Amino acid sequence: MDGDIIFRNADPSEDDELARIMYNAFLPIWNHNWFQCLTTPLDVIPSTTTPLTHLQARRLAFYRSWFTLVRAHLGAVTIAYTPPATHSTSSSSTSNPQPFTTSPSNSIAAVVLLLPPHARPSWFEPLIAWRSGLLPALLGLGLRGMWRVLVTFEGNVERMIYEGLKAQKVAGGDQRNLVMCNGCVRNPEWEGKVPARRLLNWAVEQWWERERLAGKSRTPVWLDTSVDEGVRAYQEIGFQVLGECAVDTGADVNGIKLGHGATQEAKEKARKRSRQWVMLRMPAEEGQG
């Protein structure tokens, strides 16, 4: 299924389905489960009409708020998908030229969100955070979950991105001057290979092309990730590691709370898995593409 992938901007009517895809993609990722203080794993959500448990609904609302926030700040919500047979002649490196039609979920390969400079979620803008659904979703995590997100995890991200940018003399050390990748996932229901990094590369290149056409300088792009597989994938499309740190979670490799009888081996595996990275992609020098 890799031969006929189309990259395009997603329609707002697709956001509920894309949030569900994001939910399922992040189910095994340690920090997402750790934020929610889970003692047992959550189940997959097979469709947007599936009845949800309380915990599933909270997690899904968290991801759904990302899409609202990105659109409110005029960012980019992009997807990679396999088009219907009537569109099979479209180029895999450009957006779909045909009129918009909602893609079946199993034909959506990947989702990428980009936030423009000065648009990263700020807790000093409570009205925007509330209207997007982000603040209610965070409150739903409880005090311990909010501490893990805002103080521990985001605190590490803020420190690493600041130190990394200062060391490289980029953007005055201020990540608010950069484009942020706020989400990059592969649909676990999709059967193709490595579409997420291809979509991210396309989305970044499209962003830079719009800046060029507007007579602006191309803006560096940064992201954070919590899986080493992500680090390797992003390095393949030009991102470099700015910082890395470990997180003491008291949870297993998937972020589920360890029981009192947990073995030393399980604790050691979790310690090696529970890490954070921040990464940066600089535009190529003018004349180098």
Side-chain angles (χ1 to χ4, degrees):
M1 294 177 66
D2 285 313
D4 296 312
I5 295 176
I6 297 297
F7 301 146
R8 66 163 170 82
N9 293 323
D11 189 85
S13 66
E14 295 177 292
D15 288 354
D16 286 342
E17 177 61 20
L18 300 181
R20 185 192 68 85
I21 289 171
M22 190 166 283
Y23 167 100
N24 289 336
F26 282 137
L27 273 181
I29 308 302
W30 70 265
N31 54 306
H32 295 257
N33 294 318
W34 183 64
F35 294 159
Q36 213 168 0
C37 307
L38 296 182
T39 56
T40 57
L42 296 180
D43 290 332
V44 166
I45 300 177
S47 76
T48 54
T49 60
T50 302
L52 305 179
T53 67
H54 184 59
L55 290 175
Q56 285 178 316
R58 284 184 171 180
R59 175 82 71 92
L60 186 62
F62 181 57
Y63 300 133
R64 184 63 177 81
S65 71
W66 295 7
F67 291 87
T68 304
L69 192 71
V70 168
R71 293 194 185 280
H73 285 292
L74 303 181
V77 179
T78 60
I79 64 172
Y81 82 110
T82 303
T86 54
H87 296 170
S88 61
T89 58
S90 300
S91 169
S92 63
S93 62
T94 60
S95 58
N96 184 6
Q98 303 295 329
F100 166 76
T101 56
T102 301
S103 304
S105 62
N106 62 0
S107 72
I108 297 175
V111 184
V112 164
L113 307 179
L114 294 181
L115 273 168
H118 303 286
R120 190 170 181 220
S122 170
W123 316 119
F124 301 102
E125 298 175 324
L127 185 59
I128 294 176
W130 183 267
R131 287 179 174 175
S132 69
L134 181 58
L135 184 54
L138 287 169
L139 291 172
L141 296 175
L143 292 178
R144 179 179 295 181
M146 289 183 66
W147 181 272
R148 289 176 175 182
V149 174
L150 301 180
V151 178
T152 303
F153 195 88
E154 291 298 328
N156 288 341
V157 169
E158 292 286 351
R159 174 182 54 80
M160 289 190 292
I161 191 68
Y162 173 77
E163 293 174 354
L165 293 176
K166 288 289 285 187
Q168 298 209 13
K169 297 181 172 60
V170 174
D174 190 347
Q175 50 85 8
R176 293 175 299 177
N177 295 324
L178 309 180
V179 174
M180 176 190 180
C181 175
N182 198 41
C184 176
V185 301
R186 174 188 179 276
N187 183 0
E189 299 173 8
W190 196 76
E191 298 179 354
K193 299 178 181 178
V194 295
R197 69 169 177 260
R198 291 173 54 192
L199 175 61
L200 176 57
N201 185 64
W202 178 84
V204 169
E205 295 289 349
Q206 289 291 302
W207 193 284
W208 285 343
E209 178 63 12
R210 289 194 296 271
E211 290 181 324
R212 185 190 69 81
L213 292 175
K216 300 178 181 179
S217 299
R218 292 175 292 178
T219 308
V221 181
W222 77 279
L223 56 79
D224 68 268
T225 183
S226 53
V227 290
D228 53 5
E229 298 92 339
V231 174
R232 294 192 293 271
Y234 299 137
Q235 286 175 327
E236 289 183 10
I237 58 170
F239 282 85
Q240 60 177 314
V241 173
L242 290 186
E244 175 185 358
C245 72
V247 182
D248 184 8
T249 64
D252 66 14
V253 292
N254 294 321
I256 307 299
K257 183 179 179 180
L258 285 168
H260 294 300
T263 65
Q264 191 60 39
E265 180 183 8
K267 294 177 181 178
E268 182 63 18
K269 286 182 178 179
R271 185 189 66 80
K272 292 180 179 179
R273 184 67 168 174
S274 303
R275 305 190 69 81
Q276 296 177 246
W277 293 261
V278 294
M279 306 184 71
L280 178 73
R281 179 174 171 182
M282 296 292 294
E285 295 293 334
E286 295 297 333
Q288 295 184 12

